[in-house]
Amino acid sequence: MEKKATTPAPAPKPATAASKGSGGLNPALVIPLLFVIALSVYMFVLGSPDHFIDGDMEKGPKPGDYFGIVHEGGPIVPLLMTCFLIVLVFTIERIITIGKASGTGSIDSFVRKIKALLDKNQVDEAIKECDKQKGSVGNVIKAGLVKYKQLAVDGQLDKEQKLAALQKEVDEATTLELPMLQKNLTIIATLAGASTLIALLGTVLGMIRAFAALGAAGASDSGALAAGISEALINTAIGIGTSAIATISYAYLNSRVDDLTYSIDEIGLSIQQNFAAHY
């Protein structure tokens, strides 16, 4: 019976199932779709004749019509709109995923409950709290507690080996759970810088257009100069705005993941300390 108690390791299974459920959106499918949406909005919404004087794009947008003004930003605008949509969609997706990973209740309250139950050596009650909490934190801690019970009746391993096995179980469960929470965060972080560079490209193209028009006219052409500068500034504004949102989003989401990791580490340490004290 003692061998049976030491060999099975059912704890990672809940973590694996949870990881599959928190896989999130597939960037290879979502990003092309968002580009198509952005391009459609640029062509058929921003580029609608209703936003231009006499329905003619050559005459420019109507005064105060921001849709037409943004359309004047040129072909870089759809790319910047795609970047914005990517940041928006993946931010919302990560918020939902991390929220589910946190479980049904407050993480801080859950940590306090588990530590209090472990201080009383009430492992079964702690496992029940994990079942109530659910999410990545609950799954990882439950994996450690199940291993805790197995090692408590194991007569073959010494204390140091048991502590090492307990630590390994928590680490493996954490490895299965937490990396999925960071999925797509790299995309947001990349766009925080890339959107600014794309905007800079649009700015340069706008200035090239402005000075090319001036050169073709052979004299000072305030209309052509204004159109080129307008294109440059529109791209700059959209790019900087997208970059700012992406930077804030990444910092917030990354801090949420760090909080979950810290909570798991805190309870994992309590499990080891409790085991060392009682066994």
Side-chain angles (χ1 to χ4, degrees):
M1 296 296 292
E2 291 182 351
K3 289 184 178 180
K4 291 183 179 178
T6 58
T7 52
K13 292 182 180 179
T16 303
S19 296
K20 291 180 180 179
S22 60
L25 299 175
N26 184 354
L29 298 177
V30 174
I31 292 177
L33 176 61
L34 293 178
F35 174 72
V36 172
I37 292 174
L39 186 61
S40 299
V41 170
Y42 175 77
M43 294 176 60
F44 302 113
V45 178
L46 302 181
S48 173
D50 296 337
H51 303 305
F52 298 91
I53 298 174
D54 298 331
D56 187 358
M57 291 185 185
E58 297 296 329
K59 294 182 179 180
K62 294 179 180 178
D65 193 318
Y66 290 102
F67 281 13
I69 292 174
V70 173
H71 186 272
E72 290 294 287
I76 299 298
V77 170
L79 295 178
L80 292 172
M81 290 175 62
T82 302
C83 292
F84 173 76
L85 290 176
I86 291 172
V87 171
L88 181 64
V89 168
F90 283 120
T91 296
I92 294 173
E93 181 257 347
R94 285 294 94 190
I95 289 175
I96 294 173
T97 299
I98 294 174
K100 290 180 179 179
S102 300
T104 57
S106 169
I107 290 293
D108 293 335
S109 177
F110 174 69
V111 171
R112 289 194 297 268
K113 286 180 182 179
I114 295 297
K115 292 178 71 174
L117 291 171
L118 288 176
D119 289 339
K120 300 175 184 178
N121 201 31
Q122 297 177 345
V123 180
D124 289 331
E125 287 75 7
I127 292 176
K128 291 179 182 179
E129 287 296 328
C130 293
D131 290 333
K132 293 179 183 178
Q133 181 70 17
K134 300 179 181 179
S136 294
V137 177
N139 288 335
V140 172
I141 302 308
K142 182 179 179 180
L145 292 173
V146 170
K147 191 66 175 180
Y148 181 109
K149 291 184 64 178
Q150 294 174 356
L151 293 171
V153 298
D154 186 351
Q156 296 182 345
L157 302 177
D158 59 31
K159 187 173 183 178
E160 293 300 324
Q161 290 175 324
K162 289 180 179 180
L163 288 173
L166 186 58
Q167 178 64 46
K168 180 181 178 182
E169 187 70 20
V170 174
D171 290 343
E172 288 180 350
T174 303
T175 301
L176 287 169
E177 288 283 348
L178 292 186
M180 296 306 298
L181 300 181
Q182 298 175 330
K183 181 180 179 182
N184 298 332
L185 286 184
T186 304
I187 296 175
I188 297 176
T190 301
L191 290 178
S195 57
T196 304
L197 296 177
I198 296 173
L200 179 61
L201 174 61
T203 302
V204 172
L205 292 177
M207 297 307 296
I208 291 174
R209 174 185 172 187
F211 286 105
L214 285 175
S220 179
D221 188 341
S222 59
L225 180 61
I229 294 176
S230 176
E231 177 180 338
L233 294 179
I234 289 169
N235 285 295
T236 302
I238 298 175
I240 291 176
T242 301
S243 177
I245 294 173
T247 301
I248 295 171
S249 172
Y250 177 77
Y252 169 73
L253 295 172
N254 198 50
S255 68
R256 290 281 303 274
V257 174
D258 288 343
D259 289 342
L260 293 180
T261 304
Y262 176 77
S263 298
I264 291 174
D265 291 341
E266 184 179 0
I267 302 179
L269 180 60
S270 296
I271 293 174
Q272 287 189 322
Q273 291 175 340
N274 180 270
F275 189 90
H278 291 89
Y279 301 96

